[in-house]
């Protein structure tokens, strides 16, 4: 098991029990305590966890993490979300798609669709979509975020205003009854612009983000039409979604 796989397992353990001792993690992952300490130091530097006395706990305010790392996290859940989201997407549609790793997984699931018109702020999403001969892909202009491998900023949101899509598709860092939230205002602004210039809006969210929230509201529940997820959600979120006529694919 390589480092990023161990770190993914550590996050899964912490999501289940909030705190874990170094010694217990070493036993569960069949490595030395020294290896666990190196992994957790790297994870703390990324803002994913906090190291405390004799162990680790989840970070309450996680920072953005590198795209090549986040794409490996909860991959099975993201594939399930993608498989439930693709039922809405038909040949000939125009789509806004964000830079999330879940959206990247979705793009890879749509190989059977002949023609799409895609506008995205995701550099890797654009490159992946461009592999399809019948797909027409536009990357919005703006400032490049090297860590997240996307485009953001005021120029990007102004660029989005030049389009009107059939469907906006994006993920989030947290979902509560009030709606989808994100860790920074640049990401939230992009998603609000996508929603404002699309006929319908679909949120992609796996169970690890449900019930959690970040500082910035990116999509209030009343701006959504669909939520694609991998597991049943808490009743308060389901109730608010139903009250706002949001269809849930779970």
């Amino acid at each position: 098991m390589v480092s990023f796989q161990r770190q993914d397992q550590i996050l899964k353990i912490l999501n289940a029990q909030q705190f874990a001792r170094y010694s217990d993690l070493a036993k569960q992952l069949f490595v030395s305590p020294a290896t666990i300490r190196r992994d957790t130091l790297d994870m703390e530097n990324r803002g994913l966890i906090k190291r405390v006395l004799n162990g680790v706990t989840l970070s309450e305010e996680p920072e953005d993490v590198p795209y090549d790392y986040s794409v490996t996290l909860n991959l099975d859940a993201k594939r399930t979300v993608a498989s439930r989201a693709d039922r809405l997407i038909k040949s000939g549609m125009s789509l806004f798609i964000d830079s999330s790793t879940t959206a990247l997984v979705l793009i890879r699931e749509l190989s059977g669709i002949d023609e799409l018109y895609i506008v995205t702020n995701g550099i890797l999403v654009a490159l992946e979509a461009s592999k399809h001969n019948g797909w027409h892909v536009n990357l919005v202009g703006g400032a490049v975020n090297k860590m997240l491998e996307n485009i953001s900023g005021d120029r990007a949101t102004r660029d989005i205003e030049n389009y009107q899509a059939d469907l906006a598709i994006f993920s989030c860092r947290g979902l509560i009854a009030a709606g989808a939230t994100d860790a920074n205002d640049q990401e939230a602004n992009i998603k609000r612009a996508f929603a404002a210039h699309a006929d319908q809006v679909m949120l992609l969210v796996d169970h690890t983000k449900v019930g959690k929230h970040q500082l910035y509201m990116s999509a209030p529940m009343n701006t959504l039409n669909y939520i694609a997820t991998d597991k049943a959600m808490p009743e308060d979120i389901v109730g608010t979604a139903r009250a706002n006529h949001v269809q849930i694919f779970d």
Side-chain angles (χ1 to χ4, degrees):
M1 186 182 295
V2 296
S3 178
F4 76 81
Q5 292 173 322
R6 287 195 303 271
Q7 293 183 20
D8 189 20
Q9 290 301 310
I10 290 169
L11 283 176
K12 289 178 179 178
I13 291 168
L14 291 177
N15 274 314
Q17 64 189 51
Q18 304 303 313
F19 170 81
R21 296 181 182 277
Y22 295 121
S23 56
D24 292 338
L25 289 172
K27 290 177 183 178
Q28 290 182 63
L29 300 179
F30 304 103
V31 295
S32 69
T35 297
I36 292 297
R37 288 181 182 273
R38 286 195 297 272
D39 284 338
T40 55
L41 175 60
D42 179 50
M43 295 172 73
E44 184 177 54
N45 289 337
R46 295 173 186 267
L48 292 170
I49 64 171
K50 290 181 180 178
R51 297 195 302 164
V52 296
L53 183 63
N54 296 324
V56 292
T57 185
L58 284 175
S59 172
E60 295 179 359
E61 295 292 339
E63 299 173 0
D64 291 326
V65 297
Y67 197 93
D68 59 352
Y69 178 77
S70 62
V71 77
T72 68
L73 298 177
N74 305 305
L75 187 54
D76 288 342
K78 291 172 183 176
R79 286 172 175 155
T80 300
V81 172
S83 70
R84 291 170 178 166
D86 66 8
R87 70 185 71 179
L88 284 181
I89 302 172
K90 310 297 181 185
S91 183
M93 289 182 70
S94 56
L95 308 174
F96 288 137
I97 300 182
D98 79 333
S99 61
S100 66
T101 55
T102 308
L104 181 63
V105 172
L106 174 61
I107 286 291
R108 292 170 176 167
E109 297 289 322
L110 297 177
S111 57
I113 295 183
D114 296 330
E115 186 177 32
L116 288 174
Y117 298 83
I118 294 173
V119 176
T120 182
N121 72 315
I123 296 170
L124 293 188
V125 169
L127 290 173
E128 187 71 24
S130 296
K131 295 177 182 178
H132 298 264
N133 290 332
W135 294 12
H136 312 274
V137 182
N138 285 346
L139 185 65
V140 300
V144 175
N145 184 315
K146 295 180 182 179
M147 177 180 288
L148 299 181
E149 301 196 34
N150 68 13
I151 309 296
S152 61
D154 292 341
R155 181 181 171 190
T157 55
R158 289 196 302 271
D159 198 359
I160 292 167
E161 293 172 0
N162 293 317
Y163 302 94
Q164 183 68 27
D166 294 318
L167 180 65
I169 303 170
F170 51 77
S171 188
C172 62
R173 293 288 295 275
L175 177 66
I176 55 177
T181 64
D182 276 279
N184 68 71
D185 60 340
Q186 298 294 330
E187 287 292 294
N189 288 342
I190 289 289
K191 294 166 189 180
R192 285 196 293 266
F194 280 161
H197 294 274
D199 297 340
Q200 294 188 308
V201 180
M202 178 165 58
L203 179 71
L204 311 176
V205 58
D206 68 66
H207 68 277
T208 65
K209 300 170 184 176
V210 174
K212 299 179 181 178
H213 70 86
Q214 298 292 335
L215 180 61
Y216 298 95
M217 180 62 68
S218 51
M221 190 67 75
N222 62 8
T223 66
L224 301 175
N225 299 101
Y226 308 97
I227 297 175
T229 187
D230 61 319
K231 293 184 179 180
M233 294 189 296
E235 197 56 44
D236 63 329
I237 296 178
V238 173
T240 306
R242 287 174 178 166
N244 286 279
H245 309 290
V246 179
Q247 186 174 355
I248 298 174
F249 300 147
D250 61 0

